[in-house]
Amino acid sequence: MTPITFVFPANPGSFFNDLQGVARGLGACRPAPGQCPATRYFMSFQYFAGAACRALTARKDGPSLYEVCDPVLAGQAGGDPHLAKFYKTALGNPALRVLLRRAGLPELRDEARLAALRQALARARDEAEPDWAAIGQPVADLLNSIALDHPRPPPAVFVGKAPQQSQIDGVIRDCAQHLLGSYRRNGFLPTYAAFNLIGDPDCRGRELIMALTGLNARGYKNSSLLFNLARVFIARSPARAVVHPPWRGVAEPMWEPVQIRHRSAYYDAFFIEALLSYIETGLALPADKIAAERAIADMVDFCVNISREEVEGIDGARFNVITALAPAPHPRFSRFFAQIKQDLGFGIYVPDCDTTACSISAATQAGCTDEIINQPLLDFYAGYQVRAGVNAPRVTVPLNDHIDYEGGVATWIDNLAGERPYGNDLDPTLNLDILEVSFRNLARWKILETPSRLATVHRIIGFQKRLAASGAFANPRSHIYYLPELYSAYFGRCYAAFLALPLAAQAAIDPDGDFDFIRHRVLSYVKGELMAAEMNVFDAALALIALGHLGADPRAFAPALNVIVDAIGEGGRRGPFRAYEWNKMKTPTRILVGGPEVTSAFVLMGLAVARRAMAGRG
């Protein structure tokens, strides 16, 4: 079953009225062999009806979230108005109040502890320069009382027979038609974001304090504080079963009715790659090929022109980079959600290293000749690269500080105004994207001829090798925005770009064979862990991307191919497949990003890679 994600709908009370509609959308709950879809629907509705009933009738054991917060935040509060506004908008909406009205914490019957918690909220509201570590500690102590785990799918029954080639080609065509049809209807390919109030399993009290002290924007600190307080009441009450039911596989499915539709250059970059994959299969009819090429050209323009932003490098040189969200109206938010975004403290977006790398890579693959492609971006990235003992404090929100950051490039780029709302963090998968775009522009950026640029590449490869050697790449906690399965697929994509280089260039970039070492570790994870357990469609697509690019025996593709072919149609009216988690944010709470179009794009890419490998053209 799929988890419920809240994004504060215009009519919050419709949550319970539409419970039947929720159940109808739960395609992730697969019927048993011989079970009809009506039975699956009944089971879904029965689950949510039962879970909601238990939440609404549970015995209340201590003060609720609202009994804690209303005296401080519900009235005409002074000080920083955003904290109270966020509380009323995000946590005080009627649907959530009903769901959590009987969720209480027994330790808060202690008047001293309750008073300390309220005092912390009042200080966050009133003080001009709050001591966020002290303010966050009462919430952090409560947060340490909850237990959340990452998905642990049960073992899968191995199926060695792959689907027919015609079935694989049919799914590729279905995914391509979904993407082209959506582009034709919308004028772009949408992606969706959704909040999951249960939060991320890797974020507990220690990580909350990291966020409160490492983030820069006060609105972001406010939302992190209150979201994490709410997490405790949800996770320790029967409401947990409503907000966070189980699902199949690793990537988290996304609930359909309450998602924020938007557009970003990061998403367009991967849609470009998906449509390029479709054209390369040779399956596109002439009219579809023309439509795909037009969409690609438009998305390249969106990436390198509309989303372009000038920033200053560490040495004062100016560079053009790609911003996470272009100025309005380009992100395509609805008016309602545009205002909600402001109210919740997400008013400022700055460029990031990942969107820049993926956009430039996609534009390069599409044959773009814009001058932005010629910038030697490694000179810019070198300023954001961590060097132990020199600039390690560049990572201000070290949620994954169990890994060695040396050689890694941080995520967020300061804009010309010097704004840095998210502080900075460091994600391993992002660094694969920097390597991949560097390989595609090796000659253009004169990397082999420029010792400083080659040294930047070597340090990133060293960072990746240590991740592989320690096994940390397979630990979800190591990743800020992704899952280990996505890291594996992105490594395959990076490895393919590496193998496309001349042998002499490969030797200069990787003289010690580090890429082959990482390749074996990633393949072992994909075959021995990811594919050994039950997968959903998105898991299977990522497995195929990794296996195909890393040169696995095509006979190993069968389980993932069967998962995809068997699930065709699960998306209902929205597309061939459901929406799944592509990437995420861990602060201020767990925010998932994905969509039906995203699933189609990754399935298309995975099947195209597998198809090429099975034809002996890997």
Side-chain angles (χ1 to χ4, degrees):
M1 295 184 184
T2 185
I4 288 184
T5 47
F6 289 86
V7 189
F8 327 114
N11 177 15
S14 67
F15 167 74
F16 293 106
N17 296 333
D18 291 343
L19 192 60
Q20 187 172 3
V22 175
R24 188 180 301 118
L26 295 176
C29 181
R30 181 178 296 179
Q35 187 182 82
C36 70
T39 305
R40 177 182 64 188
Y41 163 78
F42 174 75
M43 290 174 61
S44 301
F45 175 77
Q46 187 181 50
Y47 174 89
F48 280 103
C53 181
R54 285 187 290 274
L56 297 174
T57 59
R59 175 178 172 271
K60 188 169 176 289
D61 190 12
S64 71
L65 173 67
Y66 305 104
E67 290 167 326
V68 171
C69 296
D70 278 355
V72 182
L73 301 174
Q76 295 295 321
D80 174 27
H82 176 264
L83 188 71
K85 187 173 187 179
F86 178 89
Y87 171 68
K88 295 169 187 175
T89 303
L91 302 182
N93 73 78
L96 202 55
R97 276 186 177 272
V98 171
L99 185 66
L100 296 181
R101 68 188 181 90
R102 304 194 67 79
L105 300 182
E107 57 263 56
L108 294 184
R109 291 201 298 261
D110 180 337
E111 289 295 333
R113 192 164 186 182
L114 176 59
L117 183 56
R118 284 178 176 157
Q119 182 183 29
L121 295 173
R123 290 180 62 191
R125 179 195 66 195
D126 296 338
E127 294 181 4
E129 297 292 337
D131 180 346
W132 286 103
I135 287 170
Q137 195 58 55
V139 179
D141 292 340
L142 291 173
L143 203 56
N144 285 331
S145 69
I146 69 174
L148 294 173
D149 295 314
H150 291 283
R152 294 176 181 172
V157 177
F158 180 77
V159 179
K161 184 178 180 181
Q164 296 293 319
Q165 183 69 55
S166 59
Q167 293 176 288
I168 296 171
D169 290 352
V171 177
I172 290 175
R173 291 191 179 97
D174 287 346
C175 291
Q177 289 303 315
H178 179 214
L179 294 176
L180 294 175
S182 179
Y183 186 87
R184 187 168 55 249
R185 290 189 303 274
N186 296 298
F188 73 108
L189 285 170
T191 305
Y192 301 83
F195 290 74
N196 189 336
L197 295 187
I198 198 71
D200 195 276
D202 297 319
C203 290
R204 302 188 69 200
R206 174 176 175 268
E207 289 72 27
L208 172 62
I209 300 301
M210 285 181 178
L212 292 176
T213 56
L215 298 167
N216 288 63
R218 184 160 183 168
Y220 211 72
K221 294 172 187 274
N222 289 341
S223 56
S224 296
L225 180 70
L226 290 182
F227 266 141
N228 279 278
L229 179 58
R231 289 177 63 201
V232 183
F233 291 87
I234 294 168
R236 290 177 52 186
S237 74
R240 173 181 180 145
V242 181
V243 173
H244 197 65
W247 67 87
R248 175 183 293 272
V250 178
E252 188 168 331
M254 296 172 66
W255 188 51
E256 180 180 323
V258 286
Q259 298 173 2
I260 303 176
R261 187 186 76 166
H262 62 298
R263 183 181 191 182
S264 166
Y266 180 78
Y267 315 146
D268 274 23
F270 282 91
F271 288 134
I272 289 168
E273 291 195 15
L275 292 179
L276 287 172
S277 295
Y278 177 49
I279 293 172
E280 290 168 4
T281 63
L283 296 173
L285 297 173
D288 290 339
K289 184 172 183 289
I290 292 171
E293 289 170 343
R294 287 175 177 167
I296 289 169
D298 171 70
M299 289 188 286
V300 167
D301 180 67
F302 183 83
C303 288
V304 303
N305 288 318
I306 293 173
S307 301
R308 183 186 307 210
E309 181 173 346
E310 189 178 52
V311 297
E312 195 172 88
I314 301 301
D315 60 358
R318 295 292 182 96
F319 287 86
N320 286 308
V321 296
I322 312 301
T323 194
L325 278 183
H330 299 296
R332 301 294 188 102
F333 289 114
S334 70
R335 183 178 301 175
F336 171 74
F337 280 127
Q339 184 59 51
I340 287 290
K341 182 173 72 74
Q342 294 290 124
D343 292 345
L344 299 186
F346 304 106
I348 300 173
Y349 276 80
V350 292
D352 66 273
C353 292
D354 209 6
T355 300
T356 300
C358 293
S359 297
I360 298 300
S361 172
T364 301
Q365 294 176 66
C368 176
T369 58
D370 191 284
E371 186 59 30
I372 195 173
I373 307 293
N374 295 326
Q375 296 178 118
L377 277 176
L378 280 171
D379 293 350
F380 177 77
Y381 286 135
Y384 283 83
Q385 189 171 47
V386 173
R387 301 187 187 188
V390 178
N391 66 346
R394 173 166 290 283
V395 179
T396 65
V397 190
L399 300 180
N400 54 350
D401 62 354
H402 63 288
I403 67 174
D404 181 2
Y405 293 146
E406 164 65 34
V409 176
T411 303
W412 298 101
I413 300 170
D414 297 0
N415 62 19
L416 284 178
E419 293 169 313
R420 194 187 301 171
Y422 313 118
N424 224 324
D425 48 49
L426 196 152
D427 187 273
T429 309
L430 175 156
N431 282 264
L432 293 176
D433 293 334
I434 294 173
L435 289 177
E436 192 265 354
V437 71
S438 299
F439 298 157
R440 292 194 182 279
N441 291 282
L442 192 78
R444 180 181 280 117
W445 295 352
K446 300 186 184 306
I447 293 173
L448 298 184
E449 298 86 348
T450 311
S452 61
R453 294 170 191 165
L454 185 58
T456 299
V457 170
H458 283 159
R459 281 193 288 270
I460 298 175
I461 293 173
F463 167 71
Q464 300 292 352
K465 184 181 180 180
R466 291 192 298 277
L467 280 171
S470 66
F473 78 94
N475 180 356
R477 184 169 169 249
S478 302
H479 304 272
I480 301 294
Y481 300 106
Y482 305 96
L483 293 169
E485 56 173 354
L486 199 99
Y487 175 92
S488 302
Y490 280 32
F491 177 74
R493 173 175 168 268
C494 179
Y495 186 74
F498 173 74
L499 288 187
L501 298 173
L503 291 178
Q506 293 181 34
I509 290 169
D510 184 21
D512 299 323
D514 292 343
F515 264 100
D516 197 47
F517 175 84
I518 300 170
R519 170 184 173 271
H520 283 290
R521 292 298 180 100
V522 171
L523 277 176
S524 177
Y525 164 75
V526 172
K527 293 192 288 187
E529 295 186 42
L530 176 61
M531 296 183 66
E534 284 188 348
M535 295 183 288
N536 58 42
V537 169
F538 207 76
D539 301 334
L542 297 177
L544 289 176
I545 292 172
L547 294 175
H549 281 318
L550 297 180
D553 187 328
R555 288 175 294 185
F557 300 173
L561 291 171
N562 280 302
V563 167
I564 291 171
V565 170
D566 290 347
I568 191 75
E570 70 169 14
R573 60 184 179 82
R574 296 292 302 277
F577 303 105
R578 289 183 52 80
Y580 293 91
E581 168 191 358
W582 173 15
N583 54 74
K584 65 180 182 295
M585 295 184 74
K586 295 184 175 183
T587 59
T589 188
R590 186 169 170 80
I591 305 176
L592 306 180
V593 176
E597 287 85 356
V598 169
T599 306
S600 287
F602 275 88
V603 168
L604 196 163
M605 288 190 282
L607 293 180
V609 169
R611 187 177 187 272
R612 185 166 63 247
M614 290 187 293
R617 296 181 285 112

